[in-house]
Amino acid sequence: QLEKAYEELDRFVYSASHDLRAPLMSILGITNLALIEPDVQSQNEYLELISQSVKKMDIFILNIIDYYKNERGKSNITNIDFQTLIEDARLSIQYLPEFNNFKINIHLLQDAPFFSDLVKLRMIFNNLITNAVKFQSLNIPDPKLDIFITVSQKQAELVFEDNGKGIREDDLKQIFTMFYRADESKSGSGIGLYIVSEAVKKLGGQIW
């Protein structure tokens, strides 16, 4: 556990210095350009670029907060309403530009109540749903995510199946590694799937 903590700390320091400084330097550069730009329309375009950089920083900070909650937070066991859980996740990402034409289909088969840690499950659903939206295939007219939930007396099995880009074979072994990015073309902290994996482990589950 100590070796794991040191390794994560090293990765965190490197990533924080890069993922927080890069947007800041971008904001500083764009601000300097805006200050010498007399055209109001061009200034508005600069403001939009600044807004995008701020959103990148916000995503990174929110992921770090989730990581802390997952590692240090106390468990809060409650009866889980999967429909509400997914709807909350949907509402939290509806502002994403990629979300406009995206459909989320829920297939729930539940014959017993399911008690678990709501905070950890929310992290799992939010991250996996967000990934499906962000990494959808632009060549498909009907991007979608099907979530299959089967709850029995013994366990809950969750299957997230989308028709997006997919994951390269070479990346499969590393996608749950802290700060690993399988697709550099998209903005992200590289910590989302790591948080998902750690949350699943703390709930006594498995993910693949």
Side-chain angles (χ1 to χ4, degrees), residues 20-65:
L20 289 178
R21 282 202 82 238
L24 280 174
M25 292 301 98
S26 176
I27 290 170
L28 184 60
I30 295 168
T31 303
N32 289 335
L33 290 173
L35 287 172
I36 61 174
E37 176 59 64
D39 181 58
V40 174
Q41 180 61 37
S42 296
Q43 287 181 344
N44 288 338
E45 291 174 3
Y46 287 138
L47 287 173
E48 178 58 34
L49 292 174
I50 289 174
S51 175
Q52 291 174 14
S53 293
V54 171
K55 286 177 181 177
K56 287 181 182 179
M57 292 177 63
D58 187 46
I59 289 171
F60 181 82
I61 292 168
L62 289 174
N63 281 333
I64 294 301
I65 292 171

Short mmCIF file of all heavy atoms in Angstrom, two decimals, residues 20-65:
data_model
loop_
_atom_site.label_atom_id
_atom_site.label_comp_id
_atom_site.label_asym_id
_atom_site.label_seq_id
_atom_site.Cartn_x
_atom_site.Cartn_y
_atom_site.Cartn_z
N LEU A 20 -2.62 21.49 -14.69
CA LEU A 20 -3.07 22.77 -14.15
C LEU A 20 -2.30 23.94 -14.77
O LEU A 20 -2.86 24.99 -15.04
CB LEU A 20 -2.92 22.80 -12.62
CG LEU A 20 -3.91 21.91 -11.85
CD1 LEU A 20 -3.63 21.99 -10.36
CD2 LEU A 20 -5.34 22.32 -12.13
N ARG A 21 -1.00 23.75 -15.02
CA ARG A 21 -0.21 24.84 -15.59
C ARG A 21 -0.55 25.08 -17.06
O ARG A 21 -0.56 26.23 -17.51
CB ARG A 21 1.29 24.54 -15.46
CG ARG A 21 1.87 24.80 -14.08
CD ARG A 21 3.37 25.01 -14.13
NE ARG A 21 3.70 26.38 -14.49
CZ ARG A 21 4.45 26.71 -15.54
NH1 ARG A 21 4.90 25.78 -16.34
NH2 ARG A 21 4.74 27.96 -15.78
N ALA A 22 -0.80 24.01 -17.82
CA ALA A 22 -1.07 24.19 -19.25
C ALA A 22 -2.28 25.10 -19.50
O ALA A 22 -2.17 26.05 -20.28
CB ALA A 22 -1.25 22.82 -19.91
N PRO A 23 -3.44 24.85 -18.86
CA PRO A 23 -4.57 25.77 -19.06
C PRO A 23 -4.27 27.18 -18.55
O PRO A 23 -4.71 28.16 -19.16
CB PRO A 23 -5.71 25.13 -18.26
CG PRO A 23 -5.33 23.70 -18.13
CD PRO A 23 -3.84 23.69 -18.05
N LEU A 24 -3.52 27.29 -17.45
CA LEU A 24 -3.18 28.61 -16.92
C LEU A 24 -2.32 29.40 -17.90
O LEU A 24 -2.55 30.59 -18.13
CB LEU A 24 -2.45 28.48 -15.58
CG LEU A 24 -3.33 28.22 -14.35
CD1 LEU A 24 -2.45 27.95 -13.13
CD2 LEU A 24 -4.24 29.41 -14.08
N MET A 25 -1.32 28.74 -18.47
CA MET A 25 -0.47 29.40 -19.46
C MET A 25 -1.28 29.78 -20.70
O MET A 25 -1.05 30.83 -21.30
CB MET A 25 0.69 28.49 -19.84
CG MET A 25 1.71 28.23 -18.73
SD MET A 25 2.49 29.75 -18.11
CE MET A 25 1.53 30.07 -16.62
N SER A 26 -2.23 28.93 -21.06
CA SER A 26 -3.10 29.22 -22.19
C SER A 26 -3.95 30.46 -21.91
O SER A 26 -4.07 31.35 -22.76
CB SER A 26 -3.99 28.02 -22.48
OG SER A 26 -4.90 28.31 -23.52
N ILE A 27 -4.53 30.51 -20.70
CA ILE A 27 -5.35 31.67 -20.31
C ILE A 27 -4.52 32.94 -20.31
O ILE A 27 -4.95 34.00 -20.81
CB ILE A 27 -5.97 31.43 -18.92
CG1 ILE A 27 -7.04 30.34 -18.99
CG2 ILE A 27 -6.58 32.72 -18.36
CD1 ILE A 27 -7.53 29.87 -17.64
N LEU A 28 -3.29 32.86 -19.80
CA LEU A 28 -2.42 34.03 -19.74
C LEU A 28 -2.09 34.54 -21.14
O LEU A 28 -2.14 35.74 -21.42
CB LEU A 28 -1.13 33.68 -18.99
CG LEU A 28 -0.14 34.83 -18.74
CD1 LEU A 28 -0.81 35.92 -17.91
CD2 LEU A 28 1.11 34.32 -18.05
N GLY A 29 -1.76 33.60 -22.04
CA GLY A 29 -1.43 33.99 -23.41
C GLY A 29 -2.61 34.61 -24.13
O GLY A 29 -2.48 35.63 -24.82
N ILE A 30 -3.80 33.98 -23.98
CA ILE A 30 -5.00 34.49 -24.65
C ILE A 30 -5.39 35.86 -24.10
O ILE A 30 -5.81 36.76 -24.84
CB ILE A 30 -6.17 33.50 -24.48
CG1 ILE A 30 -5.85 32.18 -25.20
CG2 ILE A 30 -7.46 34.08 -25.04
CD1 ILE A 30 -6.80 31.05 -24.84
N THR A 31 -5.23 36.05 -22.78
CA THR A 31 -5.54 37.34 -22.15
C THR A 31 -4.66 38.44 -22.72
O THR A 31 -5.14 39.55 -23.02
CB THR A 31 -5.35 37.26 -20.63
OG1 THR A 31 -6.17 36.22 -20.10
CG2 THR A 31 -5.73 38.58 -19.97
N ASN A 32 -3.38 38.15 -22.89
CA ASN A 32 -2.46 39.14 -23.45
C ASN A 32 -2.86 39.52 -24.88
O ASN A 32 -2.77 40.69 -25.27
CB ASN A 32 -1.03 38.60 -23.43
CG ASN A 32 -0.46 38.53 -22.02
OD1 ASN A 32 -0.89 39.28 -21.15
ND2 ASN A 32 0.49 37.64 -21.81
N LEU A 33 -3.31 38.54 -25.66
CA LEU A 33 -3.77 38.83 -27.02
C LEU A 33 -5.04 39.68 -27.01
O LEU A 33 -5.19 40.60 -27.81
CB LEU A 33 -4.02 37.52 -27.78
CG LEU A 33 -2.79 36.69 -28.16
CD1 LEU A 33 -3.23 35.35 -28.76
CD2 LEU A 33 -1.92 37.44 -29.16
N ALA A 34 -5.95 39.34 -26.09
CA ALA A 34 -7.23 40.06 -26.01
C ALA A 34 -7.02 41.52 -25.62
O ALA A 34 -7.75 42.40 -26.09
CB ALA A 34 -8.15 39.38 -25.01
N LEU A 35 -6.00 41.77 -24.78
CA LEU A 35 -5.75 43.14 -24.32
C LEU A 35 -5.31 44.07 -25.44
O LEU A 35 -5.54 45.29 -25.37
CB LEU A 35 -4.70 43.12 -23.20
CG LEU A 35 -5.17 42.57 -21.85
CD1 LEU A 35 -4.00 42.43 -20.89
CD2 LEU A 35 -6.24 43.49 -21.23
N ILE A 36 -4.68 43.50 -26.47
CA ILE A 36 -4.20 44.35 -27.57
C ILE A 36 -5.10 44.25 -28.80
O ILE A 36 -4.79 44.79 -29.85
CB ILE A 36 -2.75 43.98 -27.95
CG1 ILE A 36 -2.67 42.53 -28.42
CG2 ILE A 36 -1.80 44.24 -26.80
CD1 ILE A 36 -1.30 42.12 -28.96
N GLU A 37 -6.21 43.54 -28.66
CA GLU A 37 -7.15 43.35 -29.77
C GLU A 37 -8.28 44.38 -29.69
O GLU A 37 -9.08 44.37 -28.75
CB GLU A 37 -7.73 41.94 -29.72
CG GLU A 37 -8.79 41.65 -30.76
CD GLU A 37 -8.27 41.82 -32.18
OE1 GLU A 37 -7.36 41.06 -32.57
OE2 GLU A 37 -8.79 42.72 -32.87
N PRO A 38 -8.36 45.29 -30.67
CA PRO A 38 -9.40 46.34 -30.62
C PRO A 38 -10.79 45.85 -31.03
O PRO A 38 -11.80 46.44 -30.65
CB PRO A 38 -8.88 47.39 -31.61
CG PRO A 38 -8.07 46.59 -32.60
CD PRO A 38 -7.45 45.46 -31.81
N ASP A 39 -10.85 44.75 -31.81
CA ASP A 39 -12.12 44.28 -32.33
C ASP A 39 -12.89 43.50 -31.26
O ASP A 39 -12.38 42.52 -30.70
CB ASP A 39 -11.90 43.39 -33.56
CG ASP A 39 -13.21 42.91 -34.15
OD1 ASP A 39 -14.04 43.76 -34.53
OD2 ASP A 39 -13.40 41.68 -34.22
N VAL A 40 -14.12 43.92 -30.99
CA VAL A 40 -14.93 43.29 -29.93
C VAL A 40 -15.25 41.84 -30.27
O VAL A 40 -15.23 40.96 -29.40
CB VAL A 40 -16.24 44.09 -29.71
CG1 VAL A 40 -17.15 43.36 -28.72
CG2 VAL A 40 -15.93 45.49 -29.22
N GLN A 41 -15.54 41.55 -31.53
CA GLN A 41 -15.87 40.18 -31.94
C GLN A 41 -14.70 39.24 -31.66
O GLN A 41 -14.88 38.13 -31.16
CB GLN A 41 -16.23 40.15 -33.43
CG GLN A 41 -16.59 38.77 -33.96
CD GLN A 41 -17.79 38.15 -33.26
OE1 GLN A 41 -18.74 38.87 -32.92
NE2 GLN A 41 -17.77 36.85 -33.02
N SER A 42 -13.50 39.70 -31.97
CA SER A 42 -12.31 38.87 -31.72
C SER A 42 -12.10 38.68 -30.22
O SER A 42 -11.70 37.61 -29.78
CB SER A 42 -11.08 39.53 -32.34
OG SER A 42 -11.20 39.58 -33.75
N GLN A 43 -12.39 39.71 -29.44
CA GLN A 43 -12.26 39.60 -27.99
C GLN A 43 -13.22 38.54 -27.44
O GLN A 43 -12.86 37.79 -26.52
CB GLN A 43 -12.54 40.95 -27.33
CG GLN A 43 -11.42 41.97 -27.54
CD GLN A 43 -11.72 43.30 -26.87
OE1 GLN A 43 -12.87 43.58 -26.50
NE2 GLN A 43 -10.69 44.13 -26.71
N ASN A 44 -14.43 38.48 -28.00
CA ASN A 44 -15.39 37.46 -27.58
C ASN A 44 -14.89 36.05 -27.89
O ASN A 44 -15.10 35.12 -27.12
CB ASN A 44 -16.74 37.69 -28.26
CG ASN A 44 -17.48 38.90 -27.71
OD1 ASN A 44 -17.21 39.33 -26.59
ND2 ASN A 44 -18.39 39.46 -28.49
N GLU A 45 -14.21 35.90 -29.03
CA GLU A 45 -13.63 34.61 -29.38
C GLU A 45 -12.53 34.22 -28.39
O GLU A 45 -12.41 33.06 -28.00
CB GLU A 45 -13.09 34.66 -30.81
CG GLU A 45 -14.18 34.78 -31.87
CD GLU A 45 -13.62 34.97 -33.26
OE1 GLU A 45 -12.37 34.95 -33.41
OE2 GLU A 45 -14.41 35.12 -34.21
N TYR A 46 -11.77 35.20 -27.97
CA TYR A 46 -10.73 34.95 -26.97
C TYR A 46 -11.35 34.52 -25.64
O TYR A 46 -10.84 33.63 -24.94
CB TYR A 46 -9.87 36.20 -26.75
CG TYR A 46 -8.91 36.50 -27.89
CD1 TYR A 46 -8.74 37.80 -28.35
CD2 TYR A 46 -8.17 35.48 -28.49
CE1 TYR A 46 -7.86 38.09 -29.40
CE2 TYR A 46 -7.30 35.75 -29.53
CZ TYR A 46 -7.15 37.05 -29.98
OH TYR A 46 -6.27 37.32 -31.00
N LEU A 47 -12.46 35.16 -25.28
CA LEU A 47 -13.15 34.79 -24.04
C LEU A 47 -13.64 33.35 -24.08
O LEU A 47 -13.61 32.64 -23.07
CB LEU A 47 -14.33 35.75 -23.79
CG LEU A 47 -13.98 37.16 -23.34
CD1 LEU A 47 -15.23 38.03 -23.31
CD2 LEU A 47 -13.31 37.14 -21.96
N GLU A 48 -14.11 32.91 -25.25
CA GLU A 48 -14.56 31.53 -25.40
C GLU A 48 -13.40 30.56 -25.20
O GLU A 48 -13.56 29.51 -24.57
CB GLU A 48 -15.19 31.34 -26.77
CG GLU A 48 -15.66 29.91 -27.06
CD GLU A 48 -16.67 29.39 -26.06
OE1 GLU A 48 -17.48 30.19 -25.55
OE2 GLU A 48 -16.64 28.18 -25.78
N LEU A 49 -12.23 30.91 -25.73
CA LEU A 49 -11.04 30.06 -25.55
C LEU A 49 -10.64 30.01 -24.07
O LEU A 49 -10.25 28.95 -23.56
CB LEU A 49 -9.88 30.60 -26.39
CG LEU A 49 -10.04 30.49 -27.91
CD1 LEU A 49 -8.89 31.20 -28.62
CD2 LEU A 49 -10.10 29.02 -28.33
N ILE A 50 -10.74 31.13 -23.39
CA ILE A 50 -10.44 31.16 -21.95
C ILE A 50 -11.42 30.27 -21.20
O ILE A 50 -11.04 29.52 -20.29
CB ILE A 50 -10.51 32.61 -21.42
CG1 ILE A 50 -9.32 33.42 -21.96
CG2 ILE A 50 -10.51 32.63 -19.89
CD1 ILE A 50 -9.38 34.90 -21.61
N SER A 51 -12.71 30.34 -21.58
CA SER A 51 -13.74 29.51 -20.94
C SER A 51 -13.41 28.03 -21.09
O SER A 51 -13.57 27.26 -20.13
CB SER A 51 -15.10 29.82 -21.55
OG SER A 51 -16.09 28.96 -21.04
N GLN A 52 -12.95 27.62 -22.26
CA GLN A 52 -12.60 26.22 -22.49
C GLN A 52 -11.45 25.78 -21.59
O GLN A 52 -11.45 24.67 -21.05
CB GLN A 52 -12.25 26.01 -23.96
CG GLN A 52 -13.43 26.14 -24.90
CD GLN A 52 -13.02 26.08 -26.36
OE1 GLN A 52 -11.91 25.67 -26.69
NE2 GLN A 52 -13.91 26.48 -27.25
N SER A 53 -10.45 26.66 -21.43
CA SER A 53 -9.31 26.33 -20.56
C SER A 53 -9.74 26.21 -19.10
O SER A 53 -9.28 25.32 -18.38
CB SER A 53 -8.22 27.41 -20.69
OG SER A 53 -7.64 27.38 -21.98
N VAL A 54 -10.64 27.08 -18.68
CA VAL A 54 -11.14 27.03 -17.30
C VAL A 54 -11.91 25.73 -17.06
O VAL A 54 -11.79 25.10 -15.99
CB VAL A 54 -12.02 28.26 -16.99
CG1 VAL A 54 -12.72 28.09 -15.64
CG2 VAL A 54 -11.19 29.53 -16.99
N LYS A 55 -12.69 25.30 -18.06
CA LYS A 55 -13.46 24.05 -17.91
C LYS A 55 -12.52 22.85 -17.77
O LYS A 55 -12.79 21.92 -17.00
CB LYS A 55 -14.37 23.86 -19.12
CG LYS A 55 -15.59 24.77 -19.12
CD LYS A 55 -16.42 24.60 -20.38
CE LYS A 55 -17.62 25.55 -20.38
NZ LYS A 55 -18.41 25.45 -21.64
N LYS A 56 -11.39 22.86 -18.51
CA LYS A 56 -10.41 21.78 -18.38
C LYS A 56 -9.87 21.71 -16.95
O LYS A 56 -9.73 20.63 -16.37
CB LYS A 56 -9.26 21.99 -19.36
CG LYS A 56 -9.61 21.73 -20.82
CD LYS A 56 -8.40 21.94 -21.71
CE LYS A 56 -8.76 21.73 -23.17
NZ LYS A 56 -7.60 21.97 -24.05
N MET A 57 -9.54 22.88 -16.40
CA MET A 57 -9.04 22.92 -15.02
C MET A 57 -10.10 22.44 -14.04
O MET A 57 -9.80 21.72 -13.09
CB MET A 57 -8.61 24.34 -14.67
CG MET A 57 -7.39 24.83 -15.43
SD MET A 57 -6.99 26.55 -15.03
CE MET A 57 -6.62 26.40 -13.29
N ASP A 58 -11.34 22.84 -14.28
CA ASP A 58 -12.43 22.46 -13.38
C ASP A 58 -12.64 20.95 -13.38
O ASP A 58 -12.83 20.34 -12.32
CB ASP A 58 -13.72 23.17 -13.82
CG ASP A 58 -14.86 22.94 -12.83
OD1 ASP A 58 -14.62 23.08 -11.61
OD2 ASP A 58 -15.97 22.62 -13.27
N ILE A 59 -12.57 20.33 -14.58
CA ILE A 59 -12.72 18.87 -14.67
C ILE A 59 -11.61 18.18 -13.88
O ILE A 59 -11.86 17.22 -13.14
CB ILE A 59 -12.69 18.43 -16.15
CG1 ILE A 59 -13.98 18.87 -16.85
CG2 ILE A 59 -12.54 16.91 -16.26
CD1 ILE A 59 -13.95 18.67 -18.35
N PHE A 60 -10.39 18.66 -14.04
CA PHE A 60 -9.26 18.06 -13.33
C PHE A 60 -9.45 18.16 -11.82
O PHE A 60 -9.26 17.19 -11.08
CB PHE A 60 -7.96 18.75 -13.75
CG PHE A 60 -6.74 18.18 -13.09
CD1 PHE A 60 -6.15 17.02 -13.59
CD2 PHE A 60 -6.19 18.77 -11.98
CE1 PHE A 60 -5.03 16.48 -12.97
CE2 PHE A 60 -5.08 18.24 -11.36
CZ PHE A 60 -4.49 17.09 -11.87
N ILE A 61 -9.83 19.34 -11.35
CA ILE A 61 -10.01 19.56 -9.91
C ILE A 61 -11.14 18.69 -9.36
O ILE A 61 -11.03 18.09 -8.28
CB ILE A 61 -10.27 21.05 -9.61
CG1 ILE A 61 -9.00 21.86 -9.91
CG2 ILE A 61 -10.69 21.26 -8.16
CD1 ILE A 61 -9.22 23.36 -9.93
N LEU A 62 -12.25 18.59 -10.09
CA LEU A 62 -13.37 17.75 -9.66
C LEU A 62 -12.96 16.29 -9.57
O LEU A 62 -13.38 15.56 -8.65
CB LEU A 62 -14.56 17.91 -10.61
CG LEU A 62 -15.31 19.25 -10.54
CD1 LEU A 62 -16.36 19.33 -11.64
CD2 LEU A 62 -15.95 19.45 -9.18
N ASN A 63 -12.13 15.84 -10.53
CA ASN A 63 -11.66 14.46 -10.48
C ASN A 63 -10.75 14.21 -9.28
O ASN A 63 -10.80 13.14 -8.67
CB ASN A 63 -10.90 14.12 -11.77
CG ASN A 63 -11.84 13.81 -12.92
OD1 ASN A 63 -12.96 13.37 -12.72
ND2 ASN A 63 -11.40 14.06 -14.13
N ILE A 64 -9.94 15.19 -8.94
CA ILE A 64 -9.08 15.06 -7.75
C ILE A 64 -9.93 14.99 -6.49
O ILE A 64 -9.65 14.21 -5.57
CB ILE A 64 -8.09 16.23 -7.66
CG1 ILE A 64 -7.09 16.17 -8.83
CG2 ILE A 64 -7.34 16.21 -6.34
CD1 ILE A 64 -6.29 14.89 -8.90
N ILE A 65 -11.00 15.78 -6.45
CA ILE A 65 -11.92 15.73 -5.28
C ILE A 65 -12.57 14.35 -5.19
O ILE A 65 -12.67 13.77 -4.10
CB ILE A 65 -12.99 16.84 -5.40
CG1 ILE A 65 -12.35 18.22 -5.25
CG2 ILE A 65 -14.09 16.64 -4.35
CD1 ILE A 65 -13.29 19.36 -5.55
#
